[in-house]
Amino acid sequence: PAVKGENIETEINITIEDGFYGVEKKIALKDLEEGTKTITVKVPEGIQNGEKIRLIGQGKEGKNGGKNGDMFIKININESEKFKLKGYDIVTDLFLTPWEAALGEKINVSTPAGTLAVTVPKNSKSGSNLRLKGKGIPAKQAGDLYLTLNIVNPDIKTEAATQAYEQLKQVFADISISR
């Protein structure tokens, strides 16, 4: 009787950007019976971490006229130092100077989708998030991009910078913050 070939399971690693745009990956499979087989896998845009791609007929050969098995490829999305995944949402840090946070500024932000101009609201606080709706992983219902605001004080390297901070201290002398 015809016997269907066995299914094969394997995994590949991709970057968040690869998952965002989609990518073609070549994988080489070693088999004692058939030798090395190279397959091109089209990873669709918006794929989720842990999802599987099924390649029909790319598994082990069937016997006696049976169909070939299928190949299942599990997708592992590697986070980077810059971008983290939460479902279809992408989370990243946005570093601001104190005056950008206090006054509100339009800032260019690097994202997997490219550079976006983002308006930082006036009086933004470190640790707060800006949500860019629909700018996360593309899917039927696209994820969001969350920018975690981090206020960074530049190094004081000149007397003018020291004086500027001294003036700020005097202007805000009567304002207390909770610690």
Side-chain angles (χ1 to χ4, degrees), residues 21-90:
Y21 289 110
V23 69
E24 282 191 5
K25 289 278 193 178
K26 289 187 189 271
I27 57 173
L29 301 167
K30 292 183 183 178
D31 187 322
L32 295 175
E33 299 163 10
E34 299 173 26
T36 301
K37 178 174 159 181
T38 302
I39 296 175
T40 300
V41 179
K42 290 184 179 182
V43 178
E45 75 174 27
I47 196 157
Q48 277 280 73
N49 191 35
E51 272 189 77
K52 290 184 180 179
I53 296 173
R54 178 181 177 193
L55 301 178
I56 297 171
Q58 295 295 321
K60 299 247 180 176
E61 258 186 53
K63 304 226 187 298
N64 300 327
K67 291 182 179 181
N68 289 349
D70 298 334
M71 180 181 297
F72 293 90
I73 303 167
K74 181 181 174 191
I75 304 299
N76 298 316
I77 299 179
N78 296 328
E79 294 183 340
S80 65
E81 280 186 32
K82 186 162 179 69
F83 301 112
K84 305 288 182 237
L85 277 179
K86 287 190 178 178
Y88 287 108
D89 296 334
I90 299 173

Side-chain angles (χ1 to χ4, degrees), residues 15-167:
T15 65
I16 289 177
E17 291 83 359
D18 290 342
F20 190 91
Y21 289 110
V23 69
E24 282 191 5
K25 289 278 193 178
K26 289 187 189 271
I27 57 173
L29 301 167
K30 292 183 183 178
D31 187 322
L32 295 175
E33 299 163 10
E34 299 173 26
T36 301
K37 178 174 159 181
T38 302
I39 296 175
T40 300
V41 179
K42 290 184 179 182
V43 178
E45 75 174 27
I47 196 157
Q48 277 280 73
N49 191 35
E51 272 189 77
K52 290 184 180 179
I53 296 173
R54 178 181 177 193
L55 301 178
I56 297 171
Q58 295 295 321
K60 299 247 180 176
E61 258 186 53
K63 304 226 187 298
N64 300 327
K67 291 182 179 181
N68 289 349
D70 298 334
M71 180 181 297
F72 293 90
I73 303 167
K74 181 181 174 191
I75 304 299
N76 298 316
I77 299 179
N78 296 328
E79 294 183 340
S80 65
E81 280 186 32
K82 186 162 179 69
F83 301 112
K84 305 288 182 237
L85 277 179
K86 287 190 178 178
Y88 287 108
D89 296 334
I90 299 173
V91 179
T92 190
D93 288 315
L94 177 58
F95 297 98
L96 303 169
T97 61
W99 51 90
E100 289 170 332
L103 302 173
E105 294 273 334
K106 194 169 226 177
I107 308 281
N108 288 327
V109 178
S110 176
T111 74
T115 302
L116 296 175
V118 175
T119 301
V120 175
K122 189 175 183 177
N123 294 319
S124 290
K125 306 286 185 250
S126 199
S128 61
N129 287 309
L130 291 181
R131 176 182 173 209
L132 303 178
K133 191 169 173 58
K135 299 296 182 185
I137 298 294
K140 289 179 185 172
Q141 185 172 344
D144 299 329
L145 175 65
Y146 288 91
L147 305 172
T148 302
L149 304 183
N150 295 285
I151 299 171
V152 180
N153 290 318
D155 292 337
I156 298 173
K157 295 184 178 178
T158 65
E159 184 59 34
T162 301
Q163 289 175 4
Y165 275 106
E166 288 294 338
Q167 287 178 325

Side-chain angles (χ1 to χ4, degrees), residues 102-103 163-176:
L103 302 173
Q163 289 175 4
Y165 275 106
E166 288 294 338
Q167 287 178 325
L168 281 172
K169 182 178 172 182
Q170 289 175 6
V171 168
F172 292 103
D174 62 341
I175 296 176
S176 64

